Amino acid sequence: MLSVALGTLRTRWTSFAASFVALALGVALIAVMGTALAATLDAPEQPPERFAVAPVVVQGARTLRVPTTHGVRTEPLARPRPVPARTVAALRRLGTVVGDRAFPVRVTGGPDGVVGHPWPTAAYAPYSLVTGRAPQADDEVVATVGWTRTGTRLRTARGTVRVVGTAAAAPPRGTRSGPGGPAATAPFETALFYTTHRAARLSPVGLQLVVEAGPEAVRRAVGHADGVRVLTGDARRLADADPDRDAEALTALNALFGTAGGVSGFVSVFVVASTFAFAVAGRRRELGLLRTVGATPGQVRRLVLTEALLVGVLASAAGCALGAWGAPHLAGWVVDAGLAPGWFTVGGHAWPYHVAFWTGLMVACSGAATAAVRAGRVRPAQALREAAVDRGTLPWSRRLIGAALLLTAAVTLALTLLGDPGELLHRKSYTSRPMLLISAVAVVSPVLVRPLVRLLTALPARLPSATGMLVREGVAAGARRASSVVAPVLVTVALAGSLLGATGMLSASKTAELREHTADFVLTPAMASATDGFDAATLDRLRRVPGAVVSATAGTEVYVVEDGVAPIGSEARAADPAALAATVRLPVTAGRLSALDDDSIVVNEEWARHTVGQRVTVWRGDGTRRSLRIAAVLATGTGDNGAYVTRANAAGAPVDRVDVGVARGADAGTVARSLRTAAKASGARVRTRAQWVSAHAPGTTRTTRLGYALVLGIALLYTAVSLVGTLTMSTAARIDDLRTLRLTGATRAQLLRLTAAETLTLVATGTLLALATTAADLAGLHIALRLQSAPAPLAFPWTAMAATATTCALLATAAGLLPTALALHGHGRSGALGAR
C-alpha cells in the first residue's frame, strides 16, 4: 500500500499540492506563534531604571491586602499612602534619606509625558551631567538629553523655567552602551529635575524614599508599619513609573499570537479537508478501477489515509523549517512596530515545533478521514459507469455534524444571554464564538450551494445568452467543486464581518452611552496639575459662573470581595449627589441618586449585591474598610458604569473633573465663554459634550488593528491557496467538457467568460452565506447589548466585507482563468476534433 501511495503522489502531485501548501503554511504559523508565545512566557524581569544604584528604596502602602478563603489576596491601591512620619524619623537616624517625587509637567511646545523629579534623586539612576550644572533656584531645571538644551527657557503650566544643564542616564544593567557612552543610550523617561524645595511645592505628597543604609537595618526600622515595603536588588524596579509595562505588552502579544494561531488551525482544517475531499472525488474512476481489480474497501481507505500521512509528514517538516526561518522575522516586526519591548527575541524552545509538527500531522489525517470513508464506499465498477455529476455530496455523518454544531452554537448563545449577557461583550467571546457558527455553516454549505446558485442565476438563465444556463447547470453538476470554492470565501468574509462588526457595534454602543451620560461641558485640569486636581480658587470661580450648574467629582476606586475569593476593584467617582443629578444623566434602574450620602454607595448591576438598602463591605482607595448602604443601582451597560461615593469616602482624591450643565433659560454660548475665562488662570481645558465624546470615544487600539490585520491576512492567504488548488484540479478534470464546447462553436473568449461567470457566482454564493452567518452572530451581540441596557444598531462592516469579498473574487477569477487559458492554449477546434 505504501508503494501505491508513493506512486500516486508522484503521478498526481498536482492533486495534493494545495493540501501540502496549506498544511505547510499552517504548521509554519503554529510554529512561529508557539515560539513567540514561549518567548513571552520566559521574559526576563525589567531591570531597575530610576533607582538602579540606590541602596534601599522604601515605599508607602501601595497594595490592598485582604484575607479570603484562598489566603491573603492583594490588589493595587488607587491612592497609595506615603511612608508614615514616624517611620521616616526612624529611617533618618540610620543615614541619608532622600524623598522622591514624580509629577507630570506640561511644557508648551515640548514632548508629551514629561515628568518632574527633585534633583537629588538623579544620582540613583544614575544620571550624570552632560552639559551645564545642577539647579539652584526655583526657576532652574536640569533636563534629560535629546529634547532640549542648556540655556533654553521652557514655558510650563506652573511657570517659566530655565534649563541650566542636561543629564543622561547610564544604560540599564545587561545592555550595551553605544560608541557615545551613556549619552548614546535611549532615555527611559523624559524628565525635568527641580530643586528639592520647588519639587516639594509642585508635588506635596512623596510616596517613596531612598535610604543610604543597610537593608537589614532599614527593615528593622520599618518594622511592622502598615503596608510599607523595603525594595532592594531587582525589586527596586517596582519603584519605577511603570514597572509592569513589559508584562502588559507581553500579555497583549499573547492574545495576538494566540488568536492568530487559533485562526491558522481553524482555517487550515477546512482547506486541507476540502482539498482532500475534492481530490478523492475527482479520482472516483481510478478508485473504482482499484476495486475492480480486487482492492477491498479497507485497502482503499488505507490508501487515502497513507497518502494523507505522507503529505502530512512532508508538509509538517517543511512547515517547521519555514517556521524556524520566520520566527526571528516576526520578533523583529513586533519590536519595530512597538508591540514588544526592545529586548524581545525568540528561539531556544523545541516544544513549539513538536506541537506544530504533530498538529499538522493530525490535521492532515483528520482532514482526509471523511474522504477516506467516502473512497471506501466506491463499488468495483461504479465509478466507471456513473456520469460526471456529483450526487450525495453531503453524507448523513456531515449532516449530523453540521446540525450538532448549529445546535451547540444556538444553545450556548441562549444560555449566555439568559445567564450572563455581558460575557458576549468580552474580546475572547466575540473573537472565538463566530468560529463555531462559521464551522457549522461551512459543514452544511454543500446542501445550500445549489439553491443559492439557482437564485443568483434565475434572471441570467432567462436571457438569450446561454451563459446563465451553463453556469447554473455546471454548478449543479459539480457540487463538490462549487462547495470547495464557496467554503474558503465563506470563512474569510464571515470572519471579517464578525470580528470587525463586533468591535464596531461595541464602539458605537460605548460612544452612545458616553454621549448620553456626559454633561453639557466637561472641564479637566492642566496636565501639570493632574495629580493635584483643581485648586479651590478655580472651583470657586467656576461655581460663580451665571447659568452654570457645576458638579465637581474626584476619581477613585473601591474594592469588594465577592464570593470570598479575591478583591475586585471598581472605578468610582466621588461627587455631591444633588449636583451630580443636576448635570449628568446616569442610567439609574433602582433607588435615587439624591439618597447618596457619606454612609452609602451607588453601584451597578454587575455587583454581586445590587439591591437598594443592602449593605456592602468595601475598601476605599487608600485601603481603609467601610460598610456602606446601597443607595441606587445603575445599569451595567458596556461595563464603563462605575460606582459613586461622596467625598468622605474618596480617600483624599483631588477633584479631577468638573461637569457643567446649562441652567434652564441660560445661553450655552455665554456660559461657555464664562467657563473658559474662569478656568484660564489654572490652564484647565473646557470641552463641550461633542468635543468630549469625540476625544474619549472608544476605538480599536493599534495592537487590535494589527491583530485583526494578521488574522484576516492569514485567512486570505489560505483562501488563495484553496482556490488555486481547487480550480486548478477542477480545470484539469473539465478539459474534455471545455473541448466539447469548443466543438459546438464556442470561442476561447466565451469559454473564459463562462469560467469567470461560474467563479464569480460561487464567490457571490459564499459571500451570501457569510452575510447570513455574520448577521446571526451580530444579532446575538445586539441582543446582549440590549439586555445590558446599552443597545446598538445591528451594523455590518460593509466596507471591510466588500473589500474582503472583492479580494476573494479577484483571487478566484485569476485562479480559474489562468489554468483554463493554459488548458485551451493550442487546442483549437481542429485539435478538439482530432482528439475526439
Side-chain angles (χ1 to χ4, degrees):
M1 192 60 64
L2 180 60
S3 61
V4 176
L6 288 172
T8 304
L9 290 180
R10 283 196 303 269
T11 57
R12 301 183 64 98
W13 63 269
T14 55
S15 300
F16 301 97
S19 298
F20 178 90
V21 173
L23 197 56
L25 285 174
V27 170
L29 287 169
I30 293 173
V32 169
M33 302 306 167
T35 305
L37 285 173
T40 63
L41 298 176
D42 296 337
E45 284 192 348
Q46 178 182 320
E49 293 175 330
R50 285 205 57 230
F51 300 104
V53 298
V56 182
V57 178
V58 179
Q59 286 186 330
R62 288 174 174 261
T63 57
L64 171 67
R65 299 174 60 85
V66 178
T68 68
T69 55
H70 298 283
V72 177
R73 294 290 185 265
T74 62
E75 187 78 11
L77 285 172
R79 298 289 296 174
R81 297 193 295 269
V83 180
R86 184 170 55 184
T87 303
V88 175
L91 293 173
R92 291 190 186 281
R93 291 193 289 269
L94 300 178
T96 303
V97 176
V98 178
D100 174 53
R101 305 170 195 278
F103 48 92
V105 180
R106 187 180 66 176
V107 179
T108 303
D112 294 332
V114 179
V115 62
H117 301 296
W119 171 248
T121 62
Y124 299 106
Y127 279 100
S128 57
L129 284 170
V130 177
T131 62
R133 59 174 175 82
Q136 297 173 355
D138 286 353
D139 65 343
E140 295 179 345
V141 295
V142 169
T144 52
V145 296
W147 65 281
T148 188
R149 62 178 183 268
T150 301
T152 304
R153 300 190 72 85
L154 303 176
R155 293 181 57 193
T156 74
R158 298 291 187 88
T160 301
V161 295
R162 183 165 60 94
V163 179
V164 296
T166 58
R173 187 177 68 250
T175 62
R176 298 179 181 178
S177 296
T185 304
F188 60 85
E189 64 178 351
T190 303
L192 289 177
F193 292 94
Y194 293 78
T195 62
T196 301
H197 177 262
R198 181 58 175 164
R201 290 180 59 191
L202 293 175
S203 180
V205 180
L207 300 176
Q208 52 197 16
L209 309 168
V210 178
V211 184
E212 296 276 2
E216 294 303 322
V218 172
R219 289 189 178 93
R220 286 193 297 270
V222 169
H224 299 288
D226 184 26
V228 176
R229 61 181 180 178
V230 178
L231 307 177
T232 60
D234 287 342
R236 291 169 298 179
R237 73 178 186 84
L238 299 176
D240 290 335
D242 190 7
D244 297 322
R245 65 178 183 271
D246 287 356
E248 293 170 358
L250 295 182
T251 299
L253 284 182
N254 267 296
L256 172 63
F257 295 149
T259 302
V263 171
S264 299
F266 169 70
V267 180
S268 64
V269 169
F270 277 99
V271 173
V272 173
S274 62
T275 50
F276 260 110
F278 187 68
V280 171
R283 296 165 57 196
R284 287 192 301 268
R285 292 179 175 84
E286 175 187 325
L287 297 175
L289 181 61
L290 288 174
R291 293 283 286 119
T292 302
V293 298
T296 65
Q299 288 175 322
V300 173
R301 285 193 292 268
R302 286 195 295 274
L303 172 63
V304 174
L305 288 174
T306 302
E307 293 169 350
L309 183 63
L310 292 173
V311 172
V313 170
L314 295 174
S316 296
C320 287
L322 184 61
W325 173 83
H329 290 80
L330 176 67
W333 175 72
V334 296
V335 171
D336 293 340
L339 302 178
W343 51 259
F344 183 75
T345 57
V346 299
H349 298 87
W351 66 262
Y353 296 98
H354 286 284
V355 171
F357 181 88
W358 295 108
T359 300
L361 205 56
M362 183 181 65
V363 167
C365 293
S366 60
T370 302
V373 172
R374 181 183 294 273
R377 291 174 180 169
V378 175
R379 297 175 183 175
Q382 176 183 353
L384 300 177
R385 294 195 308 265
E386 72 177 59
V389 178
D390 291 330
R391 295 187 178 89
T393 56
L394 194 66
W396 283 107
S397 59
R398 190 163 173 175
R399 294 173 188 264
L400 290 175
I401 292 173
L405 289 173
L406 284 172
L407 185 62
T408 302
V411 170
T412 54
L413 175 63
L415 292 176
T416 305
L417 291 175
L418 292 174
D420 183 14
E423 177 66 23
L424 293 178
L425 310 186
H426 299 161
R427 181 180 298 176
K428 287 184 178 179
S429 294
Y430 66 72
T431 300
S432 59
R433 278 185 175 274
M435 296 185 186
L436 184 62
L437 187 58
I438 293 171
S439 301
V441 178
V443 167
V444 300
S445 61
V447 81
L448 304 173
V449 169
R450 284 178 178 171
L452 283 176
V453 169
R454 289 188 177 276
L455 177 64
L456 290 173
T457 58
L459 180 59
R462 296 174 182 269
L463 298 177
S465 172
T467 302
M469 181 270 293
L470 289 174
V471 168
R472 183 186 63 191
E473 299 305 323
V475 171
R480 289 191 179 91
R481 175 179 62 89
S483 300
S484 297
V485 174
V486 167
V489 175
L490 159 66
V491 171
T492 304
V493 179
L495 273 177
S498 297
L499 295 180
L500 301 180
T503 55
M505 285 180 62
L506 285 173
S507 296
S509 180
K510 288 177 180 288
T511 301
E513 195 175 53
L514 179 64
R515 185 180 298 108
E516 179 68 21
H517 303 165
T518 301
D520 295 322
F521 299 97
V522 179
L523 285 75
T524 51
M527 184 184 299
S529 58
T531 54
D532 302 325
F534 286 94
D535 57 81
T538 301
L539 291 175
D540 186 57
R541 288 195 300 271
L542 293 174
R543 291 189 175 102
R544 291 202 301 267
V545 170
V549 182
V550 176
S551 172
T553 62
T556 184
E557 196 158 350
V558 294
Y559 309 88
V560 62
V561 177
E562 295 185 353
D563 301 323
V565 176
I568 299 174
S570 176
E571 291 185 2
R573 298 206 67 81
D576 174 77
L580 181 68
T583 54
V584 298
R585 297 177 293 277
L586 296 178
V588 178
T589 61
R592 295 176 294 109
L593 285 179
S594 58
L596 178 65
D597 56 26
D598 293 346
D599 188 48
S600 62
I601 185 173
V602 175
V603 302
N604 62 51
E605 293 174 334
E606 197 172 16
W607 285 46
R609 289 192 173 192
H610 56 267
T611 302
V612 174
Q614 281 186 322
R615 299 194 75 86
V616 291
T617 299
V618 301
W619 284 261
R620 299 184 294 190
D622 63 349
T624 55
R625 179 172 173 171
R626 283 292 309 271
S627 175
L628 299 176
R629 173 181 51 83
I630 297 176
V633 180
L634 306 179
T636 303
T638 58
D640 292 334
N641 293 329
Y644 285 86
V645 294
T646 61
R647 293 297 304 276
N649 291 311
V655 173
D656 58 2
R657 173 171 170 169
V658 176
D659 296 285
V660 179
V662 178
R664 182 174 299 179
D667 178 67
T670 303
V671 171
R673 287 189 293 272
S674 300
L675 288 174
R676 292 187 175 92
T677 301
K680 184 176 181 179
S682 67
R685 185 171 183 178
V686 182
R687 280 181 279 201
T688 64
R689 177 188 291 134
Q691 291 171 334
W692 179 265
V693 171
S694 176
H696 292 80
T700 54
T701 64
R702 184 166 174 265
T703 301
T704 301
R705 290 194 299 271
L706 289 174
Y708 284 163
L710 180 60
V711 167
L712 296 178
I714 290 171
L716 280 173
L717 180 62
Y718 274 117
T719 298
V721 171
S722 178
L723 292 175
V724 169
T726 298
L727 293 173
T728 300
M729 287 187 290
S730 66
T731 299
R734 298 177 64 200
I735 190 62
D736 287 341
D737 296 336
L738 296 175
R739 291 175 181 173
T740 301
L741 288 174
R742 287 284 288 136
L743 287 173
T744 61
T747 65
R748 287 193 184 90
Q750 288 174 326
L751 293 180
L752 291 176
R753 285 199 297 271
L754 173 62
T755 301
E758 283 188 359
T759 304
L760 291 176
T761 300
L762 294 178
V763 171
T765 303
T767 303
L768 285 178
L769 289 175
L771 284 171
T773 305
T774 302
D777 178 66
L778 297 183
L781 183 63
H782 175 70
I783 295 172
L785 287 170
R786 291 189 66 86
L787 293 175
Q788 294 291 99
S789 301
L794 184 62
F796 288 84
W798 293 113
T799 302
M801 293 184 73
T804 306
T806 301
T807 304
C808 290
L810 293 175
L811 289 172
T813 304
L817 289 179
L818 183 59
T820 302
L822 292 175
L824 292 174
H825 181 68
H827 292 287
R829 192 174 303 174
S830 59
L833 287 169
R836 301 299 294 175

